[in-house]
Amino acid sequence: MCSLYQTSSTGTSTGAAADAGSCTIDGQTFPNRGLNPADFAQCCNAKTSPTAWLPLFSRAAIVPMQIGGNDEVSADFDSDGRDDVAIADGNGNVEVFFSESDGGWTSPLVLSTGEGPLPLRPVTGDLNGDGLQDLVVSSGAGGGGNWVFVFLNQGNHQFAPALSFPSPDGCRLDPVRVGDYDGDGWPDVVVGLARVGESCPDGQVGLFRNLGNGDGRLGAPAFLQSFGSGQNGDLRLGDFNGDGALDIAVADVTNTVGFFLNAGNGTFGAPTLNTALAPAPFQPYDLAAARFSPGADGLAVSSGSSSTVVVLGIACQALTKAGVSIGVSASYGPPTPMSGVLDVNGDGLPDAFFSNGGNTDILINQGNGTFLLASPAIVGQGGIQMITVGDLNGDGAPDLAVIDDSGNWEPWLNNCP
């Protein structure tokens, strides 16, 4: 079957039972972490009845920042089984907060790019092959601030000074992703190039190949052709046609998503385009990639102009889509869409979340190309600027790290086992 969306087993657990203090699933007991008995029973029932899922998160103590954050990423930087959080502070720095065993957070380790105020975009990957997650950061300033920075993780809550790799002037580097697109075992770096000056090359995607020397260094960038307006909204890596190689998906801010398909050797041809996103003008803004159904990775696309989410795929080169409408909070006005992926109900299928700047809604994957809109929403203190997923307390359940409009970040812990 060539269709991306196929009916598949959800892999859910059986034999759930709950009381006010614990939940037993497949013989394993999980404690109630502060929910009322009815909500906790619903957590347990969701393991065998995903259609009834109600995600239940609670906000832990708000963590203050030195300077307000504008983007973030989570990873287990110190290998203690709990994800940590790295936040770009908008002043040319990345602040790394390490999770502590008592549920608290360390004071931030501040990593400086040395470039002054820049809007940075952080991601993670093991670029030097030592088993530790490093930080890769792009500067989205345009003009003379066009850099990819690599902070190599030294362990013991320390990172080496930044390695810097230039891109041509006149380009804005935003966003940045890490993945082994050439299949040599070393993570490479892919950046979106948006033209803000005449010297920017005619290309919307820059490819920084990892030289594979074990020192995290990247080669000079190669470029993929432009399409649409040349102004990218977001970029994601995934195996979108099911051939085992990493492809590249790019959202153009008009009404197009382009898929650069990997030939299997790290080279890419002209993009396969989807220009039929609805309602028009859809203005694809944020992307989330995952294996939503067997066969190939899918792409969840949030709109910059409406409260709509579209799920795309190109298995067997055929584009398919399924629209899902999400609610928009009247108190926050038009959506500021952000998206991500998490398996919120533990059924083995990736679900998607979307935030419009005020509320965060979760779409529960049914395994057949359809999603259920879950509630209640998560609401940041005064609104949400950014949201990412990680297991912040090491209990095996996906939590959310939220940057709020107050310039701080909020850990939202998943109360369901």
Side-chain angles (χ1 to χ4, degrees):
M1 180 181 292
C2 286
S3 173
L4 170 66
Y5 297 116
Q6 305 174 38
T7 302
S8 64
S9 171
T10 61
T12 53
S13 301
T14 59
D19 57 32
S22 65
C23 173
T24 301
I25 302 172
D26 290 343
Q28 185 175 0
T29 300
F30 301 90
N32 184 343
R33 295 189 292 271
L35 297 180
N36 66 59
D39 286 343
F40 189 69
Q42 192 165 11
C43 283
C44 292
N45 290 336
K47 295 296 184 180
T48 55
S49 179
T51 57
W53 175 252
L54 178 69
L56 293 163
F57 293 82
S58 62
R59 184 173 59 199
I62 295 175
V63 182
M65 291 189 62
Q66 296 183 11
I67 301 174
N70 67 278
D71 203 358
E72 62 179 335
V73 67
S74 66
D76 186 4
F77 294 117
D78 54 6
S79 304
D80 64 356
R82 300 182 301 274
D83 282 345
D84 312 300
V85 178
I87 301 178
D89 66 10
N91 200 34
N93 304 317
V94 177
E95 299 184 22
V96 183
F97 296 83
F98 295 96
S99 175
E100 298 185 308
S101 60
D102 62 359
W105 298 86
T106 64
S107 298
L109 172 67
V110 179
L111 307 176
S112 175
T113 63
E115 292 294 316
L118 290 175
L120 303 177
R121 303 297 181 206
V123 292
T124 66
D126 181 10
L127 268 67
N128 59 353
D130 64 355
L132 299 174
Q133 288 294 301
D134 308 308
L135 274 167
V136 180
V137 181
S138 70
S139 63
N146 310 294
W147 299 92
V148 171
F149 300 98
V150 175
F151 293 93
L152 295 177
N153 191 340
Q154 305 293 287
N156 297 317
H157 293 188
Q158 296 296 321
F159 287 79
L163 302 172
S164 57
F165 305 95
S167 174
D169 287 348
C171 298
R172 184 179 73 247
L173 302 187
D174 187 12
V176 59
R177 307 296 175 202
V178 172
D180 180 16
Y181 64 77
D182 58 2
D184 65 355
W186 294 95
D188 309 299
V189 176
V190 181
V191 296
L193 296 174
R195 180 179 294 217
V196 293
E198 290 303 318
S199 58
C200 183
D202 185 17
Q204 195 178 8
V205 178
L207 307 177
F208 289 81
R209 191 183 300 268
N210 191 325
L211 296 178
N213 298 325
D215 58 7
R217 294 188 179 275
L218 307 174
F223 302 100
L224 300 181
Q225 69 181 72
S226 178
F227 69 89
S229 70
Q231 298 291 317
N232 60 287
D234 197 7
L235 177 154
R236 291 287 172 177
L237 307 182
D239 179 11
F240 299 113
N241 60 352
D243 65 355
L246 275 183
D247 309 307
I248 302 170
V250 180
D252 184 82
V253 297
T254 52
N255 203 46
T256 304
V257 173
F259 295 86
F260 292 92
L261 298 181
N262 195 328
N265 58 1
T267 63
F268 301 84
T272 299
L273 304 181
N274 183 328
T275 60
L277 300 174
F282 190 87
Q283 297 179 355
Y285 185 87
D286 207 28
L287 308 177
R291 188 61 57 98
F292 292 115
S293 283
D297 288 342
L299 193 68
V301 187
S302 59
S303 170
S305 62
S306 66
S307 57
T308 304
V309 174
V310 172
V311 182
L312 303 175
I314 59 170
C316 298
Q317 313 304 310
L319 288 164
T320 60
K321 62 189 179 75
V324 180
S325 180
I326 62 172
V328 178
S329 171
S331 61
Y332 292 106
T336 305
M338 293 161 279
S339 59
V341 175
L342 75 168
D343 180 9
V344 71
N345 57 353
D347 64 357
L349 296 173
D351 310 305
F353 70 82
F354 296 88
S355 173
N356 60 22
N359 294 340
T360 297
D361 297 301
I362 297 176
L363 302 179
I364 304 302
N365 188 349
Q366 300 301 289
N368 59 2
T370 64
F371 295 79
L372 292 180
L373 178 61
S375 61
I378 295 171
V379 181
Q381 180 178 339
I384 297 172
Q385 287 193 21
M386 190 59 61
I387 187 167
T388 192
V389 178
D391 181 6
L392 304 181
N393 55 1
D395 64 355
D399 308 306
L400 300 176
V402 174
I403 299 177
D404 64 30
D405 283 347
S406 302
N408 301 311
W409 77 272
E410 309 174 9
W412 285 79
L413 301 182
N414 189 333
N415 289 305
C416 293

